[in-house]
Amino acid sequence: RRLSSNSLGISFPSEVTIVEVGPRDGLQNEKTIIPTQVKVELIDRLSNTGLKFIESASFVSERYVPQMGDHSKVMSQIKRKSGVMYPVLTPNMKGFEGALSANCEEVAVFAAASEGFSKANLNCTIEESFQRFVPLCEAAKEKNIRIRGYVSCVLGCPYDGYIQPQVVADVSKKLLDMGCYQVSLGDTIGIGNPGSTDSMLSVVKEQIPKELLAVHFHDTYGQALANILVALQHGISVVDSSVAGLGGCPFAKGATGNVATEDVVYMLHGMNISTGVDLNELVKVGEFISSYLGRDINSRVANALIAKRK
């Protein structure tokens, strides 16, 4: 993508792709089961905001993540819009087969940069998780299904603490070698800051072109937007975020929601970076799901824009 630069001479991508993860990563940690029709309406509303990637479900065991137990129903009932991708998470071959039956065109697999998190989340070592992905990746290639990779805990782990950037680079490279078209680097517990983000990306980019990377920040310490700005300076042009700042992680104690999509879009548009997203429509979607959940919208931009309406 073409770069734009500001008065300081710092270059940024001229356009950024937002991967909306609210329907999956945002809702998976909710204790009360959300009806299928609410999830479907959330996805359909997001489809009308200009977003091109909406992560919609997780084909995981209902025993481990009960909230995602209706994945097939959700995928069969959403109104798929032309030009919009609806990727789903598939941790193993069984999940992939379920996604295939639901006519999914893109799946995501996830590995961790820490052994402690891998054991807690996937119940296996990092190396064992890759072995599980081999048949899945081969089947996806055969069926012409796109695969996106996630790396969890790239800036810190609730079990192992500090994570060496070289480990993040190695895990990311393995995912790409296995057939992922892109790797999203996730600060799962939101512990990163601009300094640690810069250090990590500098090491990862020595092995992986920036065009194959995305970033995924949780906002536990209020650093997500600053970290995204650092990623933009590194030339990364794909950002994961969640409408209304929904989210958390069932396997990462204390992790708060993802960075709010509304906040990311407002920042990017203010920098003259194109996203294709209608911010006002997005705010309405955040109002809808937050109202259903009975909680405040976890987006400063959304709250400010709503206050201006009154």
Side-chain angles (χ1 to χ4, degrees):
R1 285 188 172 98
R2 199 165 43 85
L3 293 180
S4 61
S5 58
N6 63 12
S7 60
L8 297 173
I10 300 169
S11 293
F12 298 106
S14 60
E15 59 183 275
V16 162
T17 299
I18 302 284
V19 177
E20 172 59 52
V21 299
R24 196 280 301 175
D25 199 22
L27 297 182
Q28 69 175 4
N29 209 32
E30 292 295 324
K31 298 290 182 282
T32 305
I33 299 298
I34 298 161
T36 301
Q37 63 265 31
V38 174
K39 295 175 185 173
V40 169
E41 185 170 350
L42 172 62
I43 295 165
D44 288 346
R45 285 175 178 241
L46 287 167
S47 294
N48 292 319
T49 63
L51 288 160
K52 297 300 181 194
F53 290 85
I54 303 167
E55 193 176 67
S56 301
S58 183
F59 281 72
V60 292
S61 167
E62 190 173 353
R63 188 158 56 96
Y64 289 113
V65 188
Q67 191 63 257
M68 294 287 118
D70 59 348
H71 41 61
S72 295
K73 288 181 186 173
V74 169
M75 296 310 293
S76 68
Q77 292 178 32
I78 59 172
K79 297 185 186 82
R80 302 192 194 203
K81 191 167 184 177
S82 176
V84 180
M85 295 293 287
Y86 300 90
V88 298
L89 204 64
T90 54
N92 50 37
M93 199 60 200
K94 186 178 178 186
F96 177 76
E97 286 164 355
L100 211 55
S101 299
N103 296 316
C104 297
E105 297 174 331
E106 179 174 323
V107 299
V109 297
F110 54 98
S114 85
E115 291 292 355
F117 193 79
S118 187
K119 284 166 187 161
N121 195 0
L122 294 168
N123 202 27
C124 64
T125 65
I126 296 172
E127 189 51 47
E128 285 166 350
S129 72
F130 282 114
Q131 290 165 17
R132 287 183 190 177
F133 298 150
V134 171
L136 192 161
C137 291
E138 287 174 353
K141 280 180 208 166
E142 194 180 306
K143 301 286 185 182
N144 206 25
I145 303 288
R146 284 160 47 106
I147 318 170
R148 189 176 195 240
Y150 279 107
V151 183
S152 302
C153 298
V154 299
L155 292 170
C157 169
Y159 309 101
D160 297 351
Y162 174 73
I163 301 298
Q164 292 287 345
Q166 189 56 53
V167 175
V168 178
D170 293 342
V171 171
S172 302
K173 181 80 165 51
K174 270 196 172 180
L175 285 169
L176 290 167
D177 290 345
M178 292 179 82
C180 293
Y181 75 90
Q182 183 181 85
V183 170
S184 179
L185 305 172
D187 181 15
T188 311
I189 56 173
I191 200 169
N193 57 55
S196 60
T197 299
D198 179 55
S199 299
M200 181 270 294
L201 290 175
S202 296
V203 172
V204 172
K205 279 171 56 193
E206 286 175 8
Q207 281 183 245
I208 298 168
K210 62 183 183 294
E211 293 79 13
L212 302 181
L213 296 171
V215 289
H216 181 121
F217 291 106
H218 287 243
D219 205 29
T220 315
Y221 287 78
Q223 303 291 295
L225 285 178
N227 295 341
I228 289 168
L229 189 62
V230 170
L232 296 172
Q233 290 171 349
H234 276 271
I236 291 171
S237 59
V238 182
V239 176
D240 299 358
S241 59
S242 178
V243 66
L246 297 172
C249 178
F251 304 100
K253 191 177 179 183
T256 58
N258 294 274
V259 64
T261 308
E262 299 94 321
D263 295 1
V264 175
V265 170
Y266 179 83
M267 180 181 84
L268 293 172
H269 289 181
M271 296 168 69
N272 291 319
I273 296 173
S274 169
T275 65
V277 177
D278 184 325
L279 179 57
N280 289 319
E281 288 304 310
L282 190 64
V283 169
K284 291 175 189 173
V285 181
E287 284 183 281
F288 158 73
I289 191 61
S290 298
S291 173
Y292 174 79
L293 295 171
R295 68 175 61 143
D296 294 337
I297 299 169
N298 196 16
S299 159
R300 289 187 179 185
V301 166
N303 287 320
L305 291 175
I306 292 164
K308 276 177 78 174
R309 282 195 221 134
K310 294 173 180 173

